[in-house]
Amino acid sequence: MSKFIPVAEPVLDGNEKKYINKCIDTNWISSQGEFVEKFEKDFSDYCNVSYGVSTSNGTVALHLALEALDIGEGDEVIIPDLTFAATINTVIYTGATPVLVDIDEDSWTIDVDEIRKNINKNTKAIIPVHLYGQPCAMDEILRVAEENNIYIIEDCAEAHGAEFNGKKVGSFGDISCFSFYGNKIITTGEGGICLTDDKDLYKRMKKLRDHGMSPKKRYWHDEIGYNYRMTNMQAAIGVAQLEKIDDIMSKRKWISEFYDKELKDLSGVTLQKNLIDRNKVCWMYSVLINEESKVSRDEIIKILDESKIGNRPFFYPMHEMDIYKEYAENDRFEKSTKISQRGLNLPTSLNLTEEDLKRVIYAIKSEV
Ligand SMILES: *Cc1c(COP(=O)(O)O)cnc(C)c1O
């Protein structure tokens, strides 16, 4: 019987264990210690951004960014209909109103025309999500934000290292948020970070992350903060992962090129696009199953499950879920609906061998 192929898994074969042991040997297991600062510096350098504030996960990174920009009741925040629920939930935490808009057919990311249509005097921010490793149209999004004096918070949770016009995602927004959950491109187990070039925002986020405590007077709180800190042990894993990020990226590139070559001529499959102004990265390997396919996306999932091949359907569009319906009055969401129904993620574990990939490809090819 053939072995199970996971859709994603962390690979911890560098200095992860050594650095974690150092935390234990030195007693620095909580949120102070050398690795936290090193990770913040190394990751912000990697993205070419001045400051990094690490957090306990990617969801609270988004919440921290919104709070630092004073977004709350009465404000509107424009977000794409197709994303992971953390994007919309964090806007709701603040008391602001999320405004869902449709996505663009080529990039599967937020549609800039839809952003324009939904801006009004209450609009305070846009959260472009670089979905499945594909950068959003950052030039146009920057233009809209500037013309209307609204903030950009990039959700980069699925796109570490991706580039728009040669510039890394995470370097465009007023604040940019990443996740380092176990299945993300690099991981700290659970973890996240907010990046910014603005020193005041950096200081504000550090303070809010640490209970809102005054940096000048211990145990004096002049605003309501949170405990959103990353531990030194999480950061230790992150530092080790960052040491290998170029290898991780090239292995992912090898995996996605292998799939591309084998799947590109199938009429039942549409590949994720390589757009001229962008350098996407491979988080999961994402494709659409077309109407031309002999069997539907859901039937393919069943077959992959039976063949012990890990896989994931795309996220559901936010507007379809009852709890978010009230935020979906301004659009028809034709594209997010279609792409969500057809989208399928295939394995991109770094441990995949050529043989594993051939097994996945064979299973797809015999059905579509
Ligand atoms: C993973 C993810 C998050 C949240 O990150 P966690 O670290 O799991 O809290 C936010 N947005 C998107 C698009 C994600 O994929």
Side-chain angles (χ1 to χ4, degrees), residues 8-114:
E9 65 187 328
V11 172
L12 308 168
D13 61 359
N15 285 321
E16 286 84 354
K17 202 182 268 176
K18 181 172 149 204
Y19 295 162
I20 283 272
N21 279 335
K22 195 164 175 203
C23 297
I24 294 170
D25 292 342
T26 59
N27 256 341
W28 292 104
I29 58 168
S30 202
S31 55
Q32 291 184 30
E34 58 173 327
F35 291 117
V36 175
E37 279 174 22
K38 181 158 173 51
F39 182 65
E40 289 173 339
K41 171 148 198 337
D42 290 355
F43 193 78
S44 47
D45 283 351
Y46 176 75
C47 297
N48 278 311
V49 183
S50 311
Y51 306 103
V53 179
S54 59
T55 57
S56 27
N57 60 62
T59 303
V60 302
L62 285 165
H63 185 224
L64 188 64
L66 288 156
E67 291 287 336
L69 294 169
D70 281 322
I71 289 166
E73 227 176 293
D75 298 329
E76 294 186 7
V77 179
I78 298 177
I79 60 172
D81 186 39
L82 191 65
T83 181
F84 179 62
T87 319
I88 187 166
N89 285 345
T90 51
V91 176
I92 297 170
Y93 300 163
T94 67
T97 304
V99 176
L100 292 166
V101 304
D102 206 357
I103 55 168
D104 155 67
E105 180 128 35
D106 285 339
S107 66
W108 311 338
T109 65
I110 195 162
D111 183 328
V112 185
D113 291 334
E114 295 301 329

Side-chain angles (χ1 to χ4, degrees), residues 72-245:
E73 227 176 293
D75 298 329
E76 294 186 7
V77 179
I78 298 177
I79 60 172
D81 186 39
L82 191 65
T83 181
F84 179 62
T87 319
I88 187 166
N89 285 345
T90 51
V91 176
I92 297 170
Y93 300 163
T94 67
T97 304
V99 176
L100 292 166
V101 304
D102 206 357
I103 55 168
D104 155 67
E105 180 128 35
D106 285 339
S107 66
W108 311 338
T109 65
I110 195 162
D111 183 328
V112 185
D113 291 334
E114 295 301 329
I115 295 177
R116 284 186 191 281
K117 278 188 219 157
N118 283 281
I119 286 176
N120 63 45
K121 64 177 189 345
N122 296 323
T123 309
K124 197 88 186 273
I126 311 167
I127 308 184
V129 181
H130 308 298
L131 195 75
Y132 299 128
Q134 181 76 275
C136 301
M138 289 317 298
D139 52 351
E140 293 175 61
I141 292 170
L142 282 169
R143 202 174 314 134
V144 180
E146 205 161 289
E147 284 166 10
N148 294 280
N149 198 21
I150 51 189
Y151 296 120
I152 298 174
I153 300 171
E154 289 180 74
D155 183 339
C156 308
E158 304 179 1
H160 315 57
E163 293 173 347
F164 184 87
N165 278 339
K167 246 185 105 188
K168 287 226 170 63
V169 303
S171 63
F172 295 92
D174 295 280
I175 302 176
S176 304
C177 305
F178 288 80
S179 163
F180 305 108
Y181 182 63
N183 71 4
K184 298 288 160 80
I185 291 172
I186 61 164
T187 186
T188 59
E190 294 273 1
I193 200 167
C194 294
L195 303 182
T196 185
D197 281 320
D198 183 317
K199 192 162 191 183
D200 293 331
L201 282 177
Y202 166 66
K203 287 195 202 150
R204 184 92 201 279
M205 288 193 285
K206 273 185 80 152
K207 183 176 172 193
L208 287 170
R209 177 184 67 175
D210 193 16
H211 304 283
M213 198 192 298
S214 164
K216 298 201 186 82
K217 193 167 164 183
R218 266 207 290 175
Y219 305 115
W220 187 263
H221 302 261
D222 47 21
E223 60 185 326
I224 294 169
Y226 307 90
N227 175 357
Y228 281 174
R229 297 180 305 246
M230 176 182 270
T231 67
N232 200 42
M233 294 193 290
Q234 288 169 281
I237 296 177
V239 168
Q241 290 267 295
L242 262 179
E243 288 171 352
K244 294 191 316 177
I245 195 162

